[in-house]
């Protein structure tokens, strides 16, 4: 796993956006996996800027989001579909029919999840998956204890996640208790993983994910099993990393290598 430490959220977001944009330029029909939450907002802002100012073209891109709350329709302001429309889709030229966010309101969740997995396969698999990390070490809504082989399914959120996400709702009681989430196994099949982590409250989880054992108790630790995973972190989230100096040394030395 590559660890790239930047000073600020803004620098972190721009560095991660450059990686995504490079793939879009080299493969215009690429499949992009997306996350919601505070972590990737700056990354999406930068992609929107690149579209506006540099003509980055999303007209052939297909997207798949990691997760959605059960019970919230797409026009609910706290739904992840709504979040994606507001923070990315309406700022770039992606055809709406190319965007997939799991449905939280399907009559048959199990059948929907099977369809979602099949649709990812039909589109050729995910080229780049953007990820955030929960303060309990989750990726998507794969809470501690989720199997590292898990697939898209309905999950029950932990109290910690409900507390963390209550800031977006009027009342904590309004936070949904369940979500549809891609599994850890689904995420590991993406060809490239790009995680963004920022803020002090992520430091402990990030250190466990990067430097601790691979365990279903910290589902982000599964990134250690992936051949092409990069974590972009700001200085605060990097605060718990024991090998921080070494990661910074690797980045410095990489600049001295001839470009491959
Ligand atoms: C959301 C998702 C979650 C978040 C995580 C961090 O689609 O997949 O795993 O990435 O909960 O959320 P923020 O970025 O709001 O701290």
């Amino acid at each position: 796993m590559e660890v790239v430490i930047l000073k600020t959220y803004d620098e972190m977001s721009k560095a991660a956006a450059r990686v995504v944009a490079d793939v879009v330029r080299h493969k215009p029909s690429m499949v992009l996996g997306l996350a919601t939450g505070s972590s990737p907002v700056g990354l999406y802002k930068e992609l929107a800027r690149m579209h506006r100012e540099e003509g980055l073209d999303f007209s052939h891109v297909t997207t798949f989001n990691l997760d959605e709350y059960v019970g919230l329709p797409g026009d609910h302001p706290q739904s992840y579909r709504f979040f994606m429309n507001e923070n990315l889709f309406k700022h770039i030229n992606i055809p709406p029919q190319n965007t997939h966010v799991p449905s939280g309101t399907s009559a048959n969740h199990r059948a929907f999840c099977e369809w979602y997995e099949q649709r990812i396969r039909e589109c050729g698999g995910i080229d780049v998956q953007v990820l955030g990390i929960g303060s309990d070490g989750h990726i998507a809504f794969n809470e501690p204890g989720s199997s590292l082989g898990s697939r898209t399914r309905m999950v029950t959120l932990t109290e910690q996640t409900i507390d963390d996400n209550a800031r977006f709702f009027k009342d904590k009681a309004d936070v949904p208790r369940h979500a549809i989430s891609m599994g850890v196994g689904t995420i590991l099949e993406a060809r490239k993983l790009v995680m963004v982590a920022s803020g002090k409250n992520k430091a402990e989880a990030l250190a466990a994910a990067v430097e601790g054992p691979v365990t279903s108790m910290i589902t982000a630790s599964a990134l250690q099993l992936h051949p092409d995973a990069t974590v972009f972190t700001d200085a605060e989230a990097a605060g718990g990393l024991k090998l921080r100096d070494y990661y910074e040394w690797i980045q410095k030395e990489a600049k001295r290598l001839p470009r491959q």
Side-chain angles (χ1 to χ4, degrees):
M1 185 177 345
E2 195 176 343
V3 181
V4 182
I5 304 171
L6 285 312
K7 276 200 202 77
T8 64
Y9 176 80
D10 196 44
E11 287 175 40
M12 172 202 81
S13 302
K14 286 182 175 152
R18 274 197 293 276
V19 171
V20 175
D22 273 354
V23 182
V24 176
R25 282 192 201 100
H26 283 103
K27 186 179 176 188
S29 62
M30 60 93 76
V31 178
L32 178 58
L34 297 167
T36 56
S38 315
S39 309
V41 168
L43 189 169
Y44 297 154
K45 240 189 213 148
E46 179 62 7
L47 290 179
R49 187 201 63 74
M50 288 172 167
H51 167 65
R52 220 175 33 248
E53 295 175 14
E54 298 168 12
L56 186 65
D57 182 17
F58 290 87
S59 61
H60 298 290
V61 169
T62 299
T63 64
F64 285 91
N65 262 79
L66 288 170
D67 41 19
E68 178 62 284
Y69 287 121
V70 166
L72 299 194
D75 58 358
H76 189 289
Q78 302 310 335
S79 74
Y80 286 172
R81 160 58 75 181
F82 192 90
F83 175 100
M84 289 313 304
N85 290 344
E86 290 302 307
N87 286 284
L88 183 64
F89 298 152
K90 77 179 191 191
H91 305 290
I92 59 175
N93 64 334
I94 191 160
Q97 66 275 16
N98 288 12
T99 69
H100 303 80
V101 180
S103 166
T105 55
S106 67
N108 183 338
H109 293 306
R110 190 185 290 261
F112 175 82
C113 293
E114 277 170 24
W115 174 84
Y116 203 69
E117 291 265 339
Q118 187 193 323
R119 186 79 194 119
I120 294 173
R121 280 194 296 274
E122 278 167 12
C123 292
I126 293 172
D127 289 298
V128 183
Q129 176 66 57
V130 174
L131 297 164
I133 180 169
S135 62
D136 62 3
H138 70 220
I139 44 173
F141 273 134
N142 294 292
E143 301 286 31
S146 298
S147 155
L148 300 186
S150 52
R151 312 300 307 188
T152 305
R153 69 212 183 286
M154 186 162 87
V155 296
T156 305
L157 306 186
T158 60
E159 271 199 273
Q160 168 84 63
T161 296
I162 292 170
D163 284 347
D164 285 352
N165 292 355
R167 68 190 192 277
F168 299 113
F169 291 80
K170 257 205 223 108
D171 202 307
K172 186 178 155 188
D174 297 337
V175 186
R177 271 36 192 165
H178 297 91
I180 304 296
S181 176
M182 271 190 211
V184 181
T186 319
I187 293 168
L188 288 178
E189 280 173 10
R191 286 183 266 279
K192 188 187 245 328
L193 302 180
V194 171
M195 174 176 276
V196 275
S198 96
K200 275 205 283 290
N201 67 326
K202 300 296 173 67
E204 201 181 316
L206 189 70
V210 174
E211 296 175 339
V214 174
T215 167
S216 65
M217 295 306 285
I218 303 279
T219 52
S221 66
L223 267 68
Q224 294 180 36
L225 301 170
H226 195 280
D228 186 356
T230 307
V231 176
F232 292 90
T233 162
D234 67 8
E236 285 189 347
L241 295 171
K242 288 197 189 75
L243 299 180
R244 183 177 174 158
D245 290 348
Y246 180 50
Y247 305 136
E248 288 177 333
W249 172 254
I250 292 172
Q251 293 305 312
K252 220 185 271 164
E253 287 299 303
K255 290 193 187 121
R256 290 152 54 107
L257 288 171
R259 264 181 93 81
Q260 305 215 351

